């Protein structure tokens, strides 16, 4: 098959790594692959130069008025490689609101009968209200969104990272569960605890962005034993996250917590070097798309503890991966006065989310959010606003959560399961199945999903967290 993979850029990171692994596995399986990017590949990029083409109108921030230009540029790139075009166009995050011309070009390709795999890693409707607002402005309001964003036809398939999203998109018809391949590069120089003046390292491999719930990681660190240190591997990149991150660094220093920030920069090592050197890995994240952090530690031979995200981990459990040391809640006591302040912050967060998405606020939404946070006189620490988290941490309100490692035989079982089921070869097989399904279909008429219904389904306050819904109070 001839497959053209489209993305806004090839900068180092999650989607680029997925594209690189897909390229390698598909080529190894005998397919021809062209990657079309909105930007040139960085000098350190891994893709062969002759398999990358640049269509500048595919980059970030391109306005909807340039959709024909984008379409023509992409088609020219593809025809330069294959005179009669590609068999399948495989697009990543076409509806995220990073490029406003792309949804209109996709709608046009759909109407022309092109075979499209629309691969969704993130939704503008799920915790990205600014993206959604810009889509509304660029595409002509809700009617414009409805007429462009999610086309449905016999020659369109959707790829989703988890089965929760798969269920949400069932009305699109041909939907495929496409969990990311999970492949660890070899550690070059594994970190030792002694280098950081510790006996055991608990490693949280993450950038310190808001949804990673750094405050809860510090709470757990406050209960570590003698000789144990928590290492956070990397800082955030965006100014909005950098401010909160600096705040947590100051809290950790003030309270003299056994925490090391930006371990990778400090020692000049890779994430894998820290994974392999860890005694235990930690996650306290409150939301994930795919959930690589729940799988990578096991491949490094290290157990994982921390916060469970059933909407993500249920897929892995069904695959046979065991998570005996993840917790559902990290409950702490809350005074009546603090509860009142938190409830007000919850209301403001729900109101803000509803306003951002142009959805009327309802009392049951606020009640669902409050029920997610509180259980009697206790509150789930990870669902609280940062201000409340900080005050509780300073009072040393200890959580009843112990961090424990898994038995070696379970670690090895998980490692083997992940290495088999989430390999590049397994990923390529899933992609091939999706592509072949498209090749077998005759052209049909095009319809579009009800974007409003999709939005309302994702605006779920029963899984409320202030870190996801914008509450800072």
């Amino acid at each position: 098959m001839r497959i053209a993979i489209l993305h806004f850029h090839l900068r180092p990171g999650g989607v680029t790594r997925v594209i690189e692994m897909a390229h390698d596995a598909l080529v190894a399986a005998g397919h021809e692959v062209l990657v079309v990017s909105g930007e040139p590949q960085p000098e350190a990029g891994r893709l062969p130069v002759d398999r990358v083409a640049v269509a500048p109108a595919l980059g970030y921030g391109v306005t909807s008025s340039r959709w024909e230009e984008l379409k023509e540029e992409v088609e020219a790139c593809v025809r330069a490689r294959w005179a009669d075009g590609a068999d399948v166009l495989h697009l990543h995050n076409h509806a995220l609101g990073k490029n406003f011309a792309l949804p209109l070009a996709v709608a046009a390709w759909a109407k022309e009968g092109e075979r499209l795999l629309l691969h969704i890693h993130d939704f503008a409707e799920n915790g990205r209200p600014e993206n959604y607002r810009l889509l509304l402005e660029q595409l002509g309001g809700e009617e414009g969104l409805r007429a462009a964003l999610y086309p449905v036809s016999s020659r369109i398939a959707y790829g989703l990272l988890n089965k929760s999203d798969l269920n949400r998109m069932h009305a699109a018809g041909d939907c495929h569960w496409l969990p990311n391949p999970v492949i660890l590069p070899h550690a070059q120089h594994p970190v030792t605890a002694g280098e950081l003046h510790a006996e055991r390292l608990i490693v949280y491999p993450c950038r310190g962005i808001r949804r990673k719930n750094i405050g809860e990681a510090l709470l757990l660190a406050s209960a570590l034993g003698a000789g144990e240190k928590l290492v956070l591997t990397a800082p955030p990149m965006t100014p909005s996250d950098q401010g909160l991150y600096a705040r947590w660094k100051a809290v950790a220093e003030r309270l003299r917590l056994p925490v090391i920030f930006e371990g990778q920069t400090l020692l000049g090592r890779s994430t894998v070097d820290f994974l392999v050197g860890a005694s235990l890995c930690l996650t306290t994240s409150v939301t994930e798309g795919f959930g690589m952090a729940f799988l990578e530690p096991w491949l490094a031979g290290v157990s994982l503890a921390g916060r469970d995200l059933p909407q993500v981990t249920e897929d892995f459990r069904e695959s046979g991966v065991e998570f005996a040391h993840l917790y559902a809640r990290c409950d702490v006591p809350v005074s009546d006065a603090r509860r009142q302040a938190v409830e007000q912050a919850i209301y403001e967060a729900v109101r803000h989310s509803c306003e951002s998405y142009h959805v009327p606020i309802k009392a049951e939404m606020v009640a669902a959010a409050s029920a997610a946070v509180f259980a009697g006189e206790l509150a789930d620490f990870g669902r609280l606003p940062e201000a409340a988290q900080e005050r509780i941490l300073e009072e040393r309100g200890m959580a009843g959560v112990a961090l424990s490692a898994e038995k070696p035989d379970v670690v090895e079982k998980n490692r083997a399961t992940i290495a088999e089921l989430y390999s590049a070869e397994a990923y390529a097989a899933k992609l091939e199945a999706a592509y072949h399904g498209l090749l077998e279909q005759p052209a049909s008429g095009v319809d579009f999903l009800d974007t409003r219904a999709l939005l309302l389904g994702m605006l779920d306050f029963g899984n409320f967290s202030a870190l996801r819904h914008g509450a800072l109070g």
Side-chain angles (χ1 to χ4, degrees):
M1 276 183 286
R2 296 163 301 183
I3 303 142
I5 299 176
L6 280 59
H7 190 48
F8 311 117
H9 60 77
L10 292 171
R11 304 170 194 170
V15 176
T16 296
R17 182 66 183 128
V18 170
I19 290 171
E20 291 169 348
M21 289 188 285
H23 167 274
D24 294 350
L26 289 168
V27 169
H31 302 290
E32 297 180 62
V33 179
L34 174 69
V35 178
V36 183
S37 169
E39 301 176 358
Q41 182 178 213
E43 288 185 10
R46 291 185 56 255
L47 295 169
V49 174
D50 64 340
R51 292 183 186 149
V52 176
V54 178
L58 186 57
Y60 277 167
V62 174
T63 61
S64 57
S65 63
R66 295 176 60 190
W67 73 268
E68 290 177 301
E69 177 187 348
L70 184 156
K71 183 172 178 289
E72 290 169 2
E73 286 184 1
V74 170
E75 290 171 356
C77 290
V78 173
R79 285 196 303 270
R81 179 66 182 271
W82 304 297
D84 53 351
D87 294 314
V88 178
L89 298 181
H90 180 165
L91 299 96
H92 289 268
N93 274 346
H94 80 285
L96 184 57
K98 294 291 189 179
N99 178 306
F100 308 103
L102 187 55
L104 297 176
V106 167
W109 280 320
K111 292 170 185 175
E112 292 172 2
E114 289 281 359
R115 297 177 180 90
L116 307 174
L117 175 60
L118 303 179
H119 196 157
I120 299 177
H121 299 258
D122 303 285
F123 288 86
E125 297 87 349
N126 190 9
R128 296 174 180 262
E130 180 64 17
N131 294 40
Y132 190 79
R133 181 183 65 78
L134 291 171
L135 282 168
L136 284 173
E137 292 176 1
Q138 288 277 329
L139 299 182
E142 289 189 12
E143 287 303 312
L145 249 59
R146 171 72 170 77
L149 216 52
Y150 298 108
V152 179
S153 86
S154 62
R155 287 188 169 179
I156 296 175
Y158 284 84
L160 290 311
L161 298 190
N162 58 65
K163 291 180 181 175
S164 294
D165 289 341
L166 195 72
N167 292 334
R168 288 189 178 111
M169 292 292 290
H170 69 91
D174 187 14
C175 294
H176 299 260
W177 179 43
L178 296 179
N180 290 335
V182 186
I183 304 168
L184 279 189
H186 293 295
Q188 298 298 314
H189 191 177
V191 174
T192 64
E195 291 179 88
L196 295 171
H197 308 289
E199 296 174 13
R200 295 178 73 245
L201 296 181
I202 290 82
V203 174
Y204 187 0
C206 71
R207 287 204 173 276
I209 59 178
R210 193 179 190 206
R211 65 180 174 84
K212 295 297 183 178
N213 190 14
I214 302 304
E216 185 167 303
L218 300 190
L219 180 70
L220 297 174
S222 70
L224 292 179
E228 294 183 321
K229 287 186 179 180
L230 171 66
V231 181
L232 305 176
T233 53
M237 302 295 287
T238 62
S240 59
D241 284 312
Q242 287 168 350
L244 289 169
Y245 180 73
R247 176 173 166 179
W248 285 125
K249 288 179 71 174
V251 169
E253 183 176 358
R254 186 166 66 250
L255 298 181
R256 298 183 180 181
L257 298 177
V259 180
I260 297 168
F261 290 85
E262 298 157 45
Q264 288 180 238
T265 303
L266 181 66
L267 295 184
R269 308 287 179 78
S270 69
T271 301
V272 179
D273 289 331
F274 276 92
L275 288 178
V276 173
S279 296
L280 181 69
C281 280
L282 175 69
T283 175
T284 56
S285 177
V286 295
T287 184
E288 294 290 330
F290 169 59
M292 198 77 77
F294 290 99
L295 300 181
E296 285 185 329
W298 307 102
L299 287 183
V302 180
S303 187
L304 177 71
R307 178 172 286 273
D308 195 6
L309 296 176
Q311 67 274 25
V312 172
T313 57
E314 192 58 36
D315 295 341
F316 306 146
R317 288 187 170 98
E318 289 178 6
S319 298
V321 182
E322 294 184 32
F323 298 104
H325 296 290
L326 299 182
Y327 54 81
R329 297 176 61 91
C330 182
D331 281 328
V332 293
V334 287
S335 65
D336 289 342
R338 177 164 297 136
R339 179 169 184 141
Q340 290 178 3
V342 170
E343 285 182 336
Q344 181 60 33
I346 291 171
Y347 172 80
E348 293 298 334
V350 173
R351 182 185 60 78
H352 175 74
S353 289
C354 289
E355 286 181 355
S356 298
Y357 283 111
H358 303 277
V359 171
I361 188 171
K362 296 181 179 179
E364 53 264 35
M365 294 176 175
V366 180
S370 183
V373 176
F374 295 107
E377 297 180 352
L378 301 175
D380 184 356
F381 189 91
R383 298 179 187 273
L384 295 171
E386 281 94 343
Q389 288 186 340
E390 184 176 342
R391 286 192 291 271
I392 291 169
L393 187 57
E394 288 178 336
E395 295 165 5
R396 295 299 180 110
M398 306 305 294
V401 175
L403 297 180
S404 303
E406 194 50 90
K407 295 178 180 178
D409 60 326
V410 175
V411 175
E412 173 54 27
K413 172 183 171 293
N414 282 351
R415 187 206 63 75
T417 299
I418 295 163
E420 177 186 0
L421 298 182
Y422 296 92
S423 66
E425 294 76 17
Y427 185 64
K430 288 183 171 67
L431 290 178
E432 286 177 309
Y435 299 152
H436 279 300
L438 292 172
L439 290 175
E440 293 167 359
Q441 294 294 330
S444 72
V446 179
D447 197 1
F448 292 86
L449 287 188
D450 183 342
T451 50
R452 184 71 169 180
L454 184 65
L455 169 64
L456 292 175
M458 290 192 179
L459 202 62
D460 175 18
F461 294 106
N463 191 32
F464 175 88
S465 167
L467 310 188
R468 288 182 61 228
H469 292 91
L472 286 165

